[in-house]
Amino acid sequence: MAESALAINETSALKRRLLIGLVAGFLGLVVLAPLAVVFTEALRNGLGAYFNAFADSDAQAAVALTLAVAAIAVPTNIVVGVAGAWAIAKFSFPGKSLLVSLIDLPLSVSPVVSGLVYVLLFGAQGLFGGWLQAHRIEIIFALPGIVLATIFVTFPFVARELIPLMQELGKADEEAALTLGASPWRMFFTVTLPNIKWGLLYGVLLCNARAMGEFGAVSVVSGHIRGLTDTMPLHVEILYNEYNFVAAFAVASVLALLALVTLILKSALEWRYRDALAAGHRR
């Protein structure tokens, strides 16, 4: 009997090691190896060449545009995402399932298709193109179009992080606050927001990382005007197509660092506030 149990334990341990080895090998091949190549190629000619890649005016314009787009898209998604999650989690209304589906839509639609939709709506030959041209309003091949495309592809990250959390928390705390005379805004900032702050922060981190790294939708609506409408991912493509590999990988390394920082921050927050997170999930 003891020998049989020992054999089962040894078999389980072997399977566990095989599974861990398989996952580790896969992640090393698909994730770590490409990251290592990015940083190796970026630093191939030394730190001088690396930093020279960012001395170029087009690179600086791409960085500035990327930051500007994220600075607009992320706060917009915070406001709309929190409002959408609140409505879905706290109320019952006709069309609720449709609203949930619409929130999930950007996750299932190709970013290139979403960018094309904005061109068909706001481009020169689009549905509203004539009216926009008559009023000298530029959306496509300008900052507004890039922002709209970025908001579309990043919108689900905040809302989808908050919906299950708000549903699990329920309405008891908010109803108690209202019963005690709190105004709706005070109830939100003193009761709801503290309960969802970590979920909201996770959503914001993921939303920001995707906003700064988005390529497909932005590529369609930007027009690739160098120094004007090229974000960092688009600038990487231009440099790579020009065989300026060191500069391309240098800019790409910043995007890779952003992804790593996002992961580290998320893990650090989970570790630092694990007790608060567990308490929130138990409520």
Side-chain angles (χ1 to χ4, degrees):
M1 194 74 175
E3 292 178 357
S4 177
L6 181 61
I8 293 174
N9 289 335
E10 290 178 350
T11 303
S12 300
L14 177 61
K15 290 180 179 178
R16 183 171 62 252
R17 286 194 292 267
L18 287 174
L19 287 174
I20 294 173
L22 177 64
V23 173
F26 179 82
L27 291 177
L29 178 65
V30 176
V31 178
L32 296 181
L35 282 175
V37 169
V38 168
F39 290 103
T40 300
E41 291 296 320
L43 297 171
R44 189 199 325 179
N45 294 340
L47 289 175
Y50 179 87
F51 288 113
N52 282 338
F54 300 96
D56 179 63
S57 60
D58 290 338
Q60 293 174 1
V63 172
L65 179 61
T66 302
L67 295 175
V69 170
I72 299 171
V74 174
T76 301
N77 280 335
I78 291 173
V79 175
V80 181
V82 170
W86 177 285
I88 291 170
K90 305 296 183 180
F91 303 102
S92 296
F93 53 90
K96 181 175 179 178
S97 299
L98 176 61
L99 181 58
V100 174
S101 299
L102 289 175
I103 290 174
D104 291 337
L105 184 63
L107 298 176
S108 57
V109 173
S110 167
V112 175
V113 173
S114 65
L116 181 60
V117 169
Y118 283 110
V119 173
L120 295 175
L121 287 174
F122 305 118
Q125 307 301 320
L127 183 61
F128 304 109
W131 185 89
L132 292 171
Q133 283 186 324
H135 292 79
R136 297 183 180 181
I137 300 174
E138 294 184 354
I139 293 182
I140 302 302
F141 307 154
L143 177 62
I146 298 173
V147 170
L148 285 173
T150 304
I151 289 174
F152 179 86
V153 298
T154 58
F155 174 72
F157 290 102
V158 174
R160 260 300 167 198
E161 188 69 35
L162 294 180
I163 289 172
L165 178 59
M166 285 187 170
Q167 287 176 332
E168 185 174 355
L169 291 172
K171 307 177 185 179
D173 290 349
E174 286 89 348
E175 291 174 348
L178 291 174
T179 301
L180 294 173
S183 66
W185 283 113
R186 184 176 182 184
M187 175 200 68
F188 176 78
F189 285 108
T190 60
V191 177
T192 304
L193 187 59
N195 286 339
I196 66 170
K197 57 185 177 183
W198 304 123
L200 177 61
L201 184 56
Y202 293 162
V204 169
L205 287 173
L206 296 175
C207 180
N208 183 68
R210 178 63 186 275
M212 297 184 72
E214 175 56 31
F215 179 86
V218 171
S219 177
V220 175
V221 301
S222 72
H224 287 272
I225 305 173
R226 192 163 186 167
L228 292 176
T229 64
D230 275 336
T231 58
M232 290 172 64
L234 302 184
H235 189 61
V236 170
E237 181 193 31
I238 290 174
L239 292 173
Y240 190 85
N241 289 337
E242 292 177 346
Y243 302 101
N244 192 351
F245 298 128
V246 172
F249 281 106
V251 179
S253 69
V254 175
L255 295 172
L257 281 172
L258 172 67
L260 292 174
V261 168
T262 300
L263 179 62
I264 292 170
L265 286 175
K266 184 177 183 296
S267 300
L269 286 169
E270 287 177 341
W271 177 81
R272 175 65 178 82
Y273 298 104
R274 59 186 182 276
D275 294 335
L277 286 167
H281 284 296
R282 286 196 300 267
R283 294 184 65 180

